[in-house]
Amino acid sequence: MQKRETWGSRTGFIMAAVGSAIGLGNIWRFPYMVYENGGGAFLIPYFVAMLAAGMPFMILEFGLGQKFKGSAPKVFSSISKKWEWLGWWQVMVSFIITTYYVVVVAWAINYFLLAFNQGWTASPKDFFFGEFLGLTDSPMNMGGVQTSILYATAAAWLMTFVAVFTGVKSGIERISKIFMPLLFLLVFIFIGRGLMLPGAVDGLEWLFKPDFNAIMDGKVWADAFGQIFYSLSIGFAIMISYSSYLSKDSDINNNACMTVFINCGFSIISGIMIFSVLGYMAHQQGVPVSEVAGSGVGLAFITLPTAINLMPAPAFFGTLFFLALTVAGLSSMISLAEVVVSALIDKINVSRKVAATVFCGLGFVVSIAFTTGGGLLLLDIVDHFINNFGILMGGFIEIIFVAWFCKLDDLRNHVNLTSEIKVGSLWMNSLRFVIPAMLGFMLVSNFIGDLSKNYGGYSTTATVAFGWAPLVLCLIFGLLCARNEGGFINVTGINRNFLKRR
């Protein structure tokens, strides 16, 4: 059996964990969530969600990974062989995410190069959907492969491969120590210059102007908990895998708190970055900020390029923004890759080099589908179902299993043993009641919405083939892997005692 690697330093682990948590959603989803849900008032439910759900869940996953020293399948198998399938469900979810997430990173790489001379032309919308994506009329009509996206996707996979192939300390930790300071530096430079533009302050006023009536809206609270859950990379094996490389004397609780605070802080400064630009754009066009505000792919690849075209130094702002987007995307991509690689190493006892080669090779082949003309539509469906059901179901079942069917007191004692900050009954009650209630509410709402009508107006064939079918595939994959008796040599009687006996 191979000796398990450890992080070279606490800073390296924090940088890697923060790199996983900080992704594209922090930049293009959080600012609009604040704007749409009461402005500055939204920060109240957001911080409540951070303290009541994000931090407890992060401590839980850091504790599980560090205690059982393994990937998610190994952790759940160590507790009970009957629950190994849950870890493989999460691994499969992460694998599917890598196959399309890497293509979005590829878009950012392409746009970083285009930014030097505003190659997205004077009409970024037409360029993005037409010349760049070659968008077809249906996800069932794939069209041809867009070569520029394919090459950038290959480059993104190569960078991911190098990171996971070279190991935790030499690869992931070293790259994270470069990427995270670079990302913050890029964003702060952008903000420093952006705030000097006319109209920038107006954009921030639109973002943070509080509407305290929104706090009475249950949907606002659900959005706050949802944003925390999605942005922290919890519930789909990433933090379990990363924390499995921690030494036995690591400060679990403090590490978790630092990761959560840094991630949420970055979300807020991302809001400042985005809305300062939107404020300038609205000022230049003589329209309210509400007419230019948006989120997601449209914000990053249409609205922002349009705004950059209006700026006094478009090459400066464009390269800065899309380099930041690329770095944020790659850091999250690497963490998703490690979920799969660590599980393969644990299960079939292959070397890291073999596991990384097999995973990245297979992942690249699958991701080619998302580089075609129908790629954006395919991505939209898969991402919707994987996020709204794949991640949520995995996180919901995990929290129910650990909080209610395992000896949570034992885990609390374990994380407190080497931590300066101690957790007690509030932490346990959050895991048993608050988090399951919110995740359950989100799941039920999502199911009602998607069963009542097809997502995005897509055909039933498309939603079944690219939405519901991948979820079934995750379940089948999990059950088949769990039935295989190979691997997971280090399953001890002590670990088995973590499961309650009824």
Side-chain angles (χ1 to χ4, degrees):
M1 190 180 72
Q2 303 175 53
K3 182 180 179 181
R4 195 163 194 83
E5 294 181 81
T6 57
W7 298 101
S9 65
R10 181 181 185 181
T11 301
F13 168 69
I14 294 294
M15 289 293 101
V18 168
S20 171
I22 292 176
L24 302 177
N26 296 70
I27 296 174
W28 73 32
R29 188 172 188 266
F30 175 80
Y32 192 71
M33 292 286 290
V34 176
Y35 168 75
E36 279 283 282
N37 290 282
F42 177 75
L43 297 179
I44 295 174
Y46 180 74
F47 286 126
V48 170
M50 180 189 76
L51 296 172
M55 219 166 273
F57 209 143
M58 188 70 77
I59 292 171
L60 172 76
E61 295 210 322
F62 277 10
L64 287 173
Q66 196 262 2
K67 179 179 175 67
F68 294 108
K69 294 294 180 188
S71 58
K74 183 177 180 180
V75 166
F76 294 122
S77 177
S78 298
I79 298 171
S80 171
K81 180 63 181 174
K82 294 179 180 178
W83 286 86
E84 183 185 332
W85 70 270
L86 175 58
W88 288 113
W89 166 284
Q90 295 178 338
V91 168
M92 190 61 183
V93 164
S94 293
F95 172 76
I96 292 174
I97 293 174
T98 62
T99 62
Y100 65 81
Y101 193 87
V102 70
V103 177
V104 182
V105 176
W107 296 348
I109 293 173
N110 274 298
Y111 267 63
F112 167 70
L113 299 175
L114 290 169
F116 284 96
N117 62 353
Q118 292 77 65
W120 48 69
T121 73
S123 180
K125 182 177 181 180
D126 293 337
F127 172 83
F128 180 67
F129 291 124
E131 182 180 340
F132 183 67
L133 292 181
L135 191 65
T136 62
D137 58 352
S138 165
M140 307 305 293
N141 176 16
M142 300 303 291
V145 171
Q146 298 297 104
T147 53
S148 63
I149 300 176
L150 178 64
Y151 293 151
T153 298
W157 270 116
L158 179 61
M159 287 183 272
T160 302
F161 171 73
V162 170
V164 295
F165 181 88
T166 49
V168 171
K169 187 185 299 184
S170 302
I172 299 173
E173 180 173 348
R174 182 173 296 174
I175 289 174
S176 298
K177 283 183 175 179
I178 298 171
F179 273 11
M180 285 305 98
L182 175 62
L183 177 60
F184 276 85
L185 178 64
L186 292 171
V187 171
F188 279 122
I189 292 174
F190 193 105
I191 290 174
R193 180 65 183 91
L195 289 176
M196 298 169 64
L197 297 171
V201 176
D202 295 334
L204 298 186
E205 185 178 348
W206 275 83
L207 173 63
F208 291 117
K209 183 180 179 181
D211 175 12
F212 291 105
N213 292 325
I215 299 178
M216 307 304 294
D217 187 346
K219 180 182 178 298
V220 171
W221 286 84
D223 285 346
F225 275 82
Q227 178 63 25
I228 284 290
F229 185 74
Y230 289 125
S231 72
L232 288 177
S233 297
I234 48 180
F236 54 115
I238 293 177
M239 293 307 176
I240 290 178
S241 298
Y242 268 14
S243 59
S244 70
Y245 302 114
L246 285 170
S247 61
K248 62 181 181 180
D249 59 347
S250 297
D251 189 326
I252 300 296
N253 301 343
N254 202 4
N255 287 344
C257 291
M258 289 176 64
T259 302
V260 172
F261 277 126
I262 294 173
N263 171 76
C264 295
F266 183 84
S267 293
I268 293 173
I269 66 172
S270 294
I272 296 172
M273 176 179 70
I274 296 298
F275 269 80
S276 63
V277 175
L278 295 181
Y280 171 77
M281 181 179 177
H283 179 270
Q284 291 297 102
Q285 296 181 343
V287 298
V289 175
S290 57
E291 290 191 18
V292 298
S295 65
V297 171
L299 171 69
F301 297 101
I302 298 174
T303 305
L304 265 297
T306 302
I308 289 168
N309 282 347
L310 301 172
M311 291 183 175
F316 169 79
F317 280 103
T319 54
L320 213 60
F321 175 75
F322 285 107
L323 180 58
L325 208 62
T326 299
V327 170
L330 279 173
S331 62
S332 294
M333 178 66 189
I334 290 168
S335 69
L336 288 162
E338 181 58 26
V339 169
V340 184
V341 170
S342 63
L344 292 176
I345 294 171
D346 287 344
K347 183 67 174 180
I348 55 181
N349 201 29
V350 295
S351 70
R352 171 171 287 275
K353 292 178 172 56
V354 170
T357 302
V358 170
F359 160 69
C360 291
L362 179 60
F364 172 67
V365 171
V366 176
S367 65
I368 292 174
F370 297 97
T371 69
T372 63
L376 174 61
L377 304 177
L378 176 61
L379 185 155
D380 185 35
I381 298 173
V382 177
D383 180 64
H384 173 81
F385 280 86
I386 286 296
N387 273 283
N388 287 280
F389 301 105
I391 294 177
L392 281 184
M393 288 176 68
F396 178 72
I397 296 171
E398 175 189 332
I399 202 73
I400 292 293
F401 171 57
V402 177
W404 287 99
F405 295 95
C406 297
K407 296 177 181 177
L408 199 55
D409 278 322
D410 286 1
L411 187 62
R412 181 185 64 178
N413 293 335
H414 173 78
V415 299
N416 282 341
L417 188 63
T418 56
S419 299
E420 295 178 3
I421 303 171
K422 310 298 181 184
V423 294
S425 58
L426 284 177
W427 177 72
M428 297 176 67
N429 288 332
S430 177
L431 295 176
R432 285 176 174 160
F433 302 106
V434 177
I435 300 175
M438 293 307 301
L439 292 182
F441 172 79
M442 291 163 64
L443 265 175
V444 171
S445 298
N446 291 343
F447 268 114
I448 292 174
D450 280 280
L451 290 175
S452 61
K453 62 179 180 179
N454 288 345
Y455 166 69
Y458 293 108
S459 68
T460 300
T461 302
T463 54
V464 170
F466 305 127
W468 296 111
L471 297 176
V472 175
L473 180 63
C474 289
L475 180 59
I476 294 173
F477 179 81
L479 294 174
L480 289 177
C481 287
R483 288 188 65 183
N484 187 326
E485 296 298 329
F488 298 152
I489 298 171
N490 189 30
V491 177
T492 68
I494 295 175
N495 291 347
R496 295 288 187 185
N497 289 335
F498 186 62
L499 184 69
K500 287 182 179 179
R501 302 295 179 186
R502 294 183 181 275

